[in-house]
Amino acid sequence: MEKSQVIIFQHAEWEKPGRIADALEDSGIDYQILFVAQDKKPALPDLDSISGLVLMGGPMGAQDFDKYPGLKAEGKYTKAAVGVGVPTLGVCLGHQILATALGAKLKSGGKTEMGFSPVERESRDSFLPLGKEPVNVLHWHSDLVSCPEEGTILASTKGTRNQAFRYGPALGLQFHLEVDHTLLEEWLSTEIMIDGLKKSQVKQIRSDYDRFAPEIRPLADTVFRGFAARCVSFGRDRL
């Protein structure tokens, strides 16, 4: 393998890797985006050929296998990747796919968390270096997932116990550090993303982004640059 390659499972056109892709590009890492959720038997890269794995968000449930059979393949692939030490990152839906692949339980149709609100640190971890004070981040989910038995919860909110967890080489984030201003505007222009929101709520999300961006950006850069560095190291070890 001449260069490290990260596989990114994307589940909707608008659920892009955003700042994650920026960090990979800045680190000189090649990546490939795959859309396989609707494929019954997706052709997936050999684990020996990858140096990292990212699972992005999406509007479906993590275990909607009847409509999205490829999610089952993603889960099996993710479990195998984590098992051999591949640096892995799951965001929102991806966080839930990662957790359930490792044995956690999914609870569908819970209370929706949408917009900006603070998460609190539960455990100190270099993968997600939160401080003592809560940090306001972007939420956009209704399903909930428990933490895998051998995992560690890193962050929580009152409504969602597992907002972030660590399991060996894997980090799951229920919230969206990857969303920059451009990606947020795309979300707010996508009908399915703002379905049920009032104009005032959309306006509030825009306002809150501007308000909280200065504290989110450094955290996002640290998290995603750290992930990229682990991918570089893992890929180098395989050469």
Side-chain angles (χ1 to χ4, degrees):
M1 184 171 63
E2 295 183 356
K3 292 188 70 175
S4 299
Q5 184 181 63
V6 171
I7 297 301
I8 300 177
F9 288 130
Q10 192 170 326
H11 305 100
E13 290 291 344
W14 58 88
E15 294 270 5
K16 299 173 180 177
R19 289 176 174 143
I20 301 170
D22 292 341
L24 295 175
E25 291 167 6
D26 289 345
S27 297
I29 303 175
D30 290 340
Y31 61 87
Q32 181 182 6
I33 295 176
L34 300 179
F35 290 82
V36 302
Q38 293 183 316
D39 298 341
K40 289 184 178 180
K41 294 182 178 180
L44 301 177
D46 192 297
L47 288 176
D48 290 337
S49 70
I50 73 170
S51 58
L53 177 64
V54 179
L55 301 98
M56 295 307 305
M60 64 285 286
Q63 296 181 329
D64 286 349
F65 301 143
D66 288 342
K67 190 173 182 180
Y68 301 99
L71 294 179
K72 181 173 288 188
E74 282 189 34
K76 291 181 179 179
Y77 188 83
T78 299
K79 182 178 181 180
V82 174
V84 296
V86 175
T88 302
L89 175 64
V91 177
C92 200
L93 170 66
H95 162 88
Q96 296 162 11
I97 294 172
L98 171 62
T100 55
L102 298 172
K105 302 298 183 182
L106 182 72
K107 182 179 179 180
S108 300
K111 181 179 179 181
T112 299
E113 277 188 298
M114 191 174 294
F116 287 86
S117 63
V119 294
E120 296 187 3
R121 185 180 72 189
E122 292 289 334
S123 301
R124 300 181 70 171
D125 194 284
S126 60
F127 280 23
L128 181 66
L130 296 172
K132 293 182 179 180
E133 297 300 317
V135 57
N136 286 279
V137 295
L138 179 61
H139 305 268
W140 216 292
H141 73 102
S142 58
D143 289 354
L144 307 174
V145 72
S146 64
C147 184
E149 185 175 343
E150 297 181 12
T152 301
I153 292 180
L154 305 183
S156 66
T157 59
K158 291 181 179 179
T160 303
R161 169 68 174 149
N162 180 16
Q163 281 284 357
F165 77 97
R166 164 86 181 274
Y167 185 107
L171 173 66
L173 302 174
Q174 184 62 71
F175 47 90
H176 294 276
L177 295 180
E178 83 282 5
V179 174
D180 58 15
H181 182 269
T182 299
L183 188 51
L184 179 68
E185 286 303 316
E186 183 173 349
W187 283 19
L188 296 179
S189 300
T190 301
E191 185 174 351
I192 192 173
M193 291 296 284
I194 59 173
D195 183 43
L197 291 181
K198 299 177 181 179
K199 289 183 179 180
S200 60
Q201 291 174 301
V202 173
K203 183 178 179 180
Q204 185 66 54
I205 290 172
R206 283 196 173 98
S207 176
D208 285 344
Y209 179 89
D210 293 337
R211 178 184 175 190
F212 297 125
E215 63 179 314
I216 293 173
R217 182 59 188 263
L219 175 62
D221 287 346
T222 300
V223 170
F224 299 142
R225 287 172 183 171
F227 172 71
R230 295 192 295 277
C231 293
V232 170
S233 178
F234 188 80
R236 185 183 297 124
D237 290 344
R238 288 190 156 189
L239 291 177

